[in-house]
Amino acid sequence: MKNIRNFCIIAHIDHGKSTLADRLLEFTGTVTDRESQAQLLDSMDLERERGITIKSHAIQMNYTYKGEEYVLNLIDTPGHVDFSYEVSRSIAACEGALLIVDAAQSIQAQTISNLYLALENDLEIIPVLNKVDLPSANVEVVTDDIVELLGCDIEDVIPASAKTGIGIEEILSAIIERIPPPKGKLDAPLRALIFDSVYNPFRGVETYFRVINGSIKKGQHIKFVATGKDYFADEVGTLRLKQEPKKEIKAGDVGYLITGIKEAREIKVGDTITDAKNPTTEAVAGFEDVKPMVFAGIYPVDTEDYEDLRSSMEKLQLNDASLVFIPESSAALGFGFRCGFLGMLHLEIIQERLEREFDMTVITTVPNVSYHAFTHKNPETKILVNNPSDLPDPSSLNRVEEPYIKASIITKSDFVGQVMSLCIDKRGLITNQNYLTPERVELTFDMPLAEIVFDFYDRLKTVSKGYASFDYSPLGMRASKLVKVDVLLNGSIVDALSALLHADNAYDIGKKMCEKLRQLIPRQQFDIPIQAAIGAKIISRETVKALRKDVTAKCYGGDISRKRKLLEKQKKGKKRMRLVGNVEIPQEAFMAVLKLND
C-alpha cells in the first residue's frame, strides 16, 4: 500500500486540468503515441465540442521513481461551478490534490471554492502554476497570490506548462513525495466507497469504487450497505485506458466492479460495498448530499414516450448522481418529470445528453427554484413549492420565503461599477468588498437564487468582458414579496409558463413575456390574445393577429350585400373557431422566456 498514491486535479474552468492529465498519461507511458489525443479523458462528444469536463474520470498510471514502482490513481474533475458535486465525489476518494492556477488569469472564484472542499477533507495540496510559457503569464505575481492563499513556501509552487510539458517530472515526484499513501487495514472486513457508476448496455451497471479496508476478489459474495442488496462480483479490475480485469483489488486502490445489475436504481453513489458474510460495522462517511438549485419540468414531445424518458433519466442518473427527478403532470404538456439541477449549464447538458445518447426529444419548462409558503391558518407549517402551480391561494397566504445565496465574484477593478449595478438590479445586497491585489477585487453579495437562475452568468461575463468569475453557496430562506404571474393564451392558463416573481419585477417581466410570445406563436385563422395576469388582474396583453382569408375573391361586381353576406358568414365561423381552436406552443417559446433580455 505504501506505493499507491490517489490524487485528483482541481482548478477553475479552463485552467488546463485535462491537458495536464494528458501530459501525465504520456509521460508515465500509460498511453501510446497512437492512442493519445487531446482531452483524452473527456470521452463524451459534448465535452470535446465545448472544451469542458462534465464527468470526473478515473485512470491508473504506473511510474518508476528512484528505482521503485509506484501506482498513481488520477481522478480528473470538472471546473465549472455547476459540477462541484462531481468534484466532492473525487475528493472523497483521494489523499491529495493538484491545485492548478493559470499564470495568466491568476486565482479565480472556483479555484477557492474547490480548494476549501479539498481542505475540509484534509487533502495534501500541491500548487501548480500552469501556462508559464504564455507571453501574458505573470509568474511572480501569481506565485505570490498562491503563497498568500495557501500559506505555503514559494519553493512549494511548481511552475509548469501542460501544453509544452515543462515541469511534468517535478509534478510526478511531488505527488510521490508529498501525498501520503492511503491508510487502511488489509485484514479488516471489506469496506469500499462507490464514487461513480456507468451504464453499459451489454454488461449492466459498472461501479467505480475505492477500497478503504480489506480487499475485494473476483467471485466474492458482496453487499451494498445503503440498499441492503447482495450480489456476486463477476469481474473486478483496475481502470487503465481500457478496463483491466484482476483477481483481487486491495485496500487503498481504485477499481471497477461488474455484478450484472440491470436496474439503475439499485446503485447509489456514496454507498459502501462490504462482504456479505463478514460485513463491516460502519459505512464510509460519504460526500455531501446533493442540493438541487434549479428546478424545471422535462416532458416528452410525444406523451407515448413517457416510459422511455423515465428509463433514459434513470440511466443518466447513474452517471450523474446530482440529477434529481420526480413524476409530475401538466395540463398543457401531459406527463413528465420535475427535475432538480445544480445550475443552468447542468440543465442544458442534461437536455443535450438526453437527445444525443437516448434519442429523446424533450420540452423543458421555465426553470425556477424551490420556495416555502406559509398560510394564515398554519403560519408555522411550511408548504414546499417546487412548481408555481403548487402555490396556495393568494388570499390565504401569510408569507413566501425564497432561497438566498452568498455570491462571490472576483473581477478586475475596472469593472466593479458594472458588476455592482448588475447585482443590485438582481436584488443583491453587497456585504463585502476585498481587494486581493490592486488589480483584482472580490465582491460578496447576498442574493436571491431565483435571480441568478436565468441569464445572470451570461450577463456577468458580458459586463466584465469575460474577466469575472463567479461562485456561490446557499445561505438559507428569507421572506420575500413574491407573486405568481400566469400566462393566458386564448383565455386559458398555460401552467408550464407560470412563474413566481418579485412584485417589483412582475409587471416588466409579464410585459416582456407577452411580447416575446407574440413573435413566436404562429398566426391562426383567428385572433389569439396573449395575456399576463396576477390572480384575476391582467397586467399585460398582446394579440397575434388573424390571417385573413379573402372570402370575397369570387365576388366580382353585383350588389354590395352579396359581399356583406359572405363576410358575416366568415365572422360567425371565426367566432366558432376561437371557441374550439387549440393554440400549439412551439418549443422555442418555452426557452425564449429565459432570454427575455436579449
Side-chain angles (χ1 to χ4, degrees), residues 25-212:
L25 294 175
E26 281 169 21
F27 196 86
T28 55
T30 309
V31 291
T32 60
D33 287 348
R34 197 182 63 173
E35 291 169 324
S36 74
Q37 54 173 333
Q39 282 177 271
L40 186 73
L41 294 180
D42 292 351
S43 50
M44 262 187 258
D45 297 343
L46 208 57
E47 292 179 313
R48 297 187 162 282
E49 282 167 27
R50 291 177 176 239
I52 58 174
T53 303
I54 296 166
K55 284 289 307 152
S56 56
H57 296 271
I59 192 161
Q60 192 176 81
M61 303 177 277
N62 290 54
Y63 183 60
T64 310
Y65 178 69
K66 294 185 178 170
E68 275 194 69
E69 188 76 26
Y70 286 89
V71 173
L72 311 178
N73 288 312
L74 155 69
I75 301 175
D76 186 23
T77 63
H80 196 280
V81 61
D82 276 13
F83 303 113
S84 55
Y85 182 70
E86 289 280 333
V87 181
S88 78
R89 288 159 51 173
S90 305
I91 284 172
C94 294
E95 277 83 32
L98 295 180
L99 178 77
I100 297 185
V101 178
D102 187 326
Q105 293 183 11
S106 190
I107 291 162
Q108 303 278 319
Q110 199 57 33
T111 318
I112 297 172
S113 166
N114 287 344
L115 171 67
Y116 287 151
L117 264 179
L119 290 173
E120 276 169 29
N121 284 277
D122 294 333
L123 262 61
E124 178 65 39
I125 309 287
I126 299 174
V128 176
L129 184 65
N130 195 16
K131 306 192 186 180
V132 291
D133 58 319
L134 287 183
S136 56
N138 204 341
V139 178
E140 288 84 9
V141 175
V142 181
T143 306
D144 290 345
D145 289 351
I146 297 172
V147 168
E148 198 176 321
L149 177 69
L150 290 175
C152 60
D153 297 331
I154 287 187
E155 297 77 51
D156 294 343
V157 182
I158 304 170
S161 163
K163 195 175 177 186
T164 57
I166 302 167
I168 300 299
E169 205 166 338
E170 288 82 352
I171 291 172
L172 283 164
S173 52
I175 289 167
I176 290 165
E177 284 175 4
R178 293 195 218 168
I179 294 176
K183 299 180 185 74
K185 300 179 188 127
L186 268 171
D187 50 0
L190 169 64
R191 186 162 162 250
L193 168 77
I194 298 176
F195 67 86
D196 203 357
S197 52
V198 185
Y199 186 78
N200 181 329
F202 305 107
R203 312 186 69 185
V205 179
E206 296 172 0
T207 311
Y208 296 167
F209 61 87
R210 149 84 199 270
V211 186
I212 290 161

Side-chain angles (χ1 to χ4, degrees), residues 292-295 342 368-371 402-405 426-427 446-454 456 470 472 474:
M293 293 286 185
V294 177
F295 294 87
L342 298 178
N368 64 331
V369 298
S370 208
Y371 300 92
E402 64 175 330
Y404 264 70
I405 54 158
K426 297 279 188 184
R427 299 192 281 135
D446 288 358
M447 291 173 78
L449 178 63
E451 294 289 344
I452 68 153
V453 164
F454 294 146
F456 178 75
F470 170 67
Y472 60 83

Side-chain angles (χ1 to χ4, degrees), residues 283-304:
V284 183
F287 19 85
E288 59 188 56
D289 268 348
V290 56
K291 291 191 269 304
M293 293 286 185
V294 177
F295 294 87
I298 286 188
Y299 294 85
V301 171
D302 187 348
T303 33
E304 288 169 8

Side-chain angles (χ1 to χ4, degrees), residues 245-301:
K246 294 268 170 80
K247 289 261 175 35
E248 181 179 22
I249 296 200
K250 297 180 178 168
D253 215 343
V254 173
Y256 72 92
L257 161 75
I258 294 173
T259 51
I261 298 173
K262 292 286 187 285
E263 278 293 312
R265 60 173 82 92
E266 288 182 30
I267 287 192
K268 288 189 164 50
V269 169
D271 196 355
T272 305
I273 306 173
T274 187
D275 190 64
K277 297 188 184 80
N278 179 18
T280 179
T281 47
E282 50 178 321
V284 183
F287 19 85
E288 59 188 56
D289 268 348
V290 56
K291 291 191 269 304
M293 293 286 185
V294 177
F295 294 87
I298 286 188
Y299 294 85
V301 171

